[in-house]
């Protein structure tokens, strides 16, 4: 119990936490356009690090996924996962959008893109 209690009380560096909140704001600040698709990150309430992403395709198909911005080993990371929480992309915050764009060009026979 003590180990779990201490782990749950551990806080990230306040500067990293501020950067995490800024990264969430930046993702949600505008729509992103990739390969016949508009990607919209919906800003979570109260700086909750888990949000919803909507993919709107030119044929009016809409798909949704989860994203989370988190801190691991003092590095900001972003993870994109299906609604069933299957991880599709997990990358540092600086390269996430490039990996998302690259992933949108992969064909259906290729596997997940985790880096």
């Amino acid at each position: 119990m003590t180990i779990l209690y201490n782990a749950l009380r551990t806080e990230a560096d306040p500067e990293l936490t501020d950067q995490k909140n800024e990264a969430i704001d930046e993702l949600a600040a505008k729509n992103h356009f990739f390969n016949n698709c508009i990607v919209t990150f919906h800003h979570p309430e109260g700086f909750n690090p888990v949000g919803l992403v909507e993919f709107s395709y030119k044929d009016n198909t809409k798909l949704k996924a989860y994203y989370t911005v988190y801190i691991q080993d003092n590095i900001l990371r972003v993870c994109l996962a299906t609604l069933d929480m299957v991880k599709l992309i997990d990358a540092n915050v600086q390269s996430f959008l490039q990996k998302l764009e690259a992933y949108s060009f992969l064909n259906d026979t290729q596997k997940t893109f985790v880096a």
Side-chain angles (χ1 to χ4, degrees):
M1 175 74 171
T2 304
I3 293 171
L4 177 60
Y5 177 77
N6 288 336
L8 291 173
R9 290 187 45 206
T10 301
E11 295 284 332
D13 177 348
E15 185 177 326
L16 274 175
T17 301
D18 290 343
Q19 291 174 8
K20 178 187 73 171
N21 294 336
E22 289 171 13
I24 292 169
D25 287 340
E26 287 176 24
L27 284 173
K30 63 179 181 177
N31 290 329
H32 305 273
F33 300 92
F34 302 128
N35 190 29
N36 83 355
C37 175
I38 298 172
V39 180
T40 306
F41 291 86
H42 296 283
H43 187 74
E45 297 274 336
F47 293 108
N48 182 344
V50 178
L52 197 62
V53 184
E54 184 173 34
F55 298 85
S56 301
Y57 291 89
K58 288 183 180 178
D59 67 358
N60 293 324
T61 300
K62 292 185 187 260
L63 298 171
K64 293 184 180 180
Y66 290 120
Y67 77 97
T68 186
V69 179
Y70 67 98
I71 300 166
Q72 181 180 33
D73 298 326
N74 291 324
I75 298 172
L76 285 176
R77 298 189 62 83
V78 182
C79 178
L80 177 74
T82 67
L83 295 178
D84 290 334
M85 300 307 289
V86 175
K87 188 184 299 185
L88 300 176
I89 299 172
D90 189 9
N92 67 48
V93 72
Q94 293 84 5
S95 65
F96 175 74
L97 288 176
Q98 292 86 9
K99 293 187 186 294
L100 180 60
E101 183 174 21
Y103 191 79
S104 72
F105 285 101
L106 295 176
N107 64 41
D108 293 339
T109 62
Q110 293 173 301
K111 301 248 181 202
T112 60
F113 193 73
V114 177

